[in-house]
Amino acid sequence: LAKTTQPISMDSYEGQEVNITCSHNNIATNDYITWYQQFPSQGPRFIIQGYKTKVTNEVASLFIPADRKSSTLSLPRVSLSDTAVYYCLVGDTGAAGNKLTFGGGTRVLVKP
Amino acid sequence: EAQVTQNPRYLITVTGKKLTVTCSQNMNHEYMSWYRQDPGLGLRQIYYSMNVEVTDKGDVPEGYKVSRKEKRNFPLILESPSPNQTSLYFCASSWTSATSEKQYFGPGTRLTVL
């Protein structure tokens, strides 16, 4: 069972870089690491995904060390509109069936 | 436009009155699921469906039913709603359940059971 652990909340200021680390000690060989962003009263939105090393897109970067037991989502130069909850997701595809489990998420508050 | 739709978006009902929340996706996805979200508890999966006529329990299935008669639709049924089912509900779909697949979420249904 690949569970994840993230900080409950983080505060930042506009223009700063925000780094959120997710622990997933029991990640399986075939599992990818996916991050979602959720604004209040909206459904989560996919932002980035990776398997190992570093992935970058127009929204964020994802750093994954060689042992893959953790990952760090990096949001460069955040703005007020980046205030949201960020979820780290690692799939659970065990014998019980293909069931996806979201962790508790990290509430990021960007201040002016 | 690729999307997941849910109806209704808001619903206030009373204990014991059966209700259905519809979910539809236009991406021909195999996998669909329902989540509920409560303050401090994050997203918890209720039921999921790997394909038509194939459904299974998630983490919190008690008090809910689902059906998957067509690939695009995955309704959530509350046969006898109770106040502890007051929550924000999300439907999601993807090609498969693997984490390599992007999940698309609906806009949510806010349910209040009095």
Side-chain angles (χ1 to χ4, degrees), chain A residues 13-66:
Chain A
Y13 290 92
E14 283 189 292
Q16 290 188 335
E17 179 181 78
V18 172
N19 295 306
I20 309 170
T21 297
C22 178
S23 297
H24 28 78
N25 290 321
N26 297 322
I27 189 169
T29 303
N30 295 331
D31 284 340
Y32 280 71
I33 300 149
T34 311
W35 287 79
Y36 287 81
Q37 174 191 56
Q38 186 181 24
F39 298 114
S41 296
Q42 293 187 28
R45 180 177 75 103
F46 171 95
I47 51 174
I48 199 166
Q49 181 184 84
Y51 184 80
K52 61 180 179 181
T53 63
K54 177 183 175 182
V55 179
T56 298
N57 62 21
E58 65 279 4
V59 176
S61 293
L62 180 59
F63 300 90
I64 305 168

Side-chain angles (χ1 to χ4, degrees), chain A residues 47-100:
Chain A
I47 51 174
I48 199 166
Q49 181 184 84
Y51 184 80
K52 61 180 179 181
T53 63
K54 177 183 175 182
V55 179
T56 298
N57 62 21
E58 65 279 4
V59 176
S61 293
L62 180 59
F63 300 90
I64 305 168
D67 66 7
R68 303 200 332 121
K69 293 183 184 298
S70 67
S71 58
T72 299
L73 175 73
S74 181
L75 305 172
R77 297 178 299 281
V78 294
S79 64
L80 296 177
S81 63
D82 291 315
T83 292
V85 178
Y86 293 83
Y87 291 95
C88 168
L89 180 62
V90 178
D92 171 8
T93 56
N98 293 329
K99 179 168 67 71
L100 297 172

Side-chain angles (χ1 to χ4, degrees), chain B:
Chain B
E1 179 190 355
Q3 62 180 352
V4 177
T5 58
Q6 296 178 226
N7 282 292
R9 293 290 313 281
Y10 302 91
L11 178 61
I12 301 174
T13 189
V14 295
T15 299
K17 186 176 181 182
K18 180 180 179 180
L19 66 92
T20 299
V21 183
T22 65
C23 173
S24 183
Q25 49 95 2
N26 64 359
M27 295 165 280
N28 204 35
H29 285 164
E30 302 275 334
Y31 182 84
M32 297 185 74
S33 59
W34 276 102
Y35 294 86
R36 63 177 288 174
Q37 186 169 39
D38 304 288
L41 296 177
L43 282 155
R44 294 181 293 169
Q45 193 179 56
I46 303 170
Y47 269 95
Y48 64 93
S49 170
M50 301 294 291
N51 209 329
V52 175
E53 302 294 359
V54 180
T55 64
D56 208 345
K57 298 176 181 179
D59 293 317
V60 288
E62 293 77 22
Y64 304 94
K65 285 177 56 178
V66 293
S67 68
R68 188 93 181 273
K69 295 185 172 62
E70 307 166 279
K71 182 180 277 191
R72 63 182 291 127
N73 296 323
F74 190 44
L76 179 70
I77 304 157
L78 284 72
E79 295 271 3
S80 183
S82 62
N84 65 12
Q85 292 179 297
T86 292
S87 187
L88 180 57
Y89 292 87
F90 291 104
C91 179
S93 75
S94 58
W95 287 111
T96 73
S97 66
T99 53
S100 57
E101 298 290 356
K102 181 189 300 187
Q103 284 205 74
Y104 293 80
F105 283 81
T109 295
R110 186 169 293 281
L111 172 65
T112 300
V113 182
L114 302 175

